Amino acid sequence: MYVCICKGVSDHRIRQAVEEGARSWREVQAETGCGTQCGKCACVGKSLTREAVKEALLHSATDLAYAV
């Protein structure tokens, strides 16, 4: 689904930016341009970024666990 019509940013692109290392809304904005023109998509973009960062952090935390 398109989140930002002005810049043509989809939810997949936001998740991809987080997978590539973005850990904040500002970093996602810098990477994608989402929310930088009219700003109507900012709330949805922030929510998607938060969700994707939580998933990424949970995934990386489970990678650290190992049997002793």
Side-chain angles (χ1 to χ4, degrees):
M1 124 180 119
Y2 277 98
V3 176
C4 179
I5 302 297
C6 298
K7 298 289 184 168
V9 180
S10 68
D11 60 326
H12 296 290
R13 181 64 188 105
I14 291 173
R15 292 179 194 284
Q16 181 183 10
V18 172
E19 287 174 12
E20 293 172 353
R23 291 295 180 259
S24 70
W25 171 236
R26 285 183 192 254
E27 291 174 356
V28 169
Q29 278 185 307
E31 180 74 24
T32 65
C34 185
T36 59
Q37 193 152 346
C38 76
K40 291 182 180 180
C41 60
C43 288
V44 174
K46 285 179 190 178
S47 295
L48 285 169
T49 300
R50 254 187 245 118
E51 181 182 307
V53 168
K54 283 181 188 177
E55 289 174 11
L57 292 176
L58 284 174
H59 181 69
S60 67
T62 58
D63 288 344
L64 297 175
Y66 59 92
V68 178

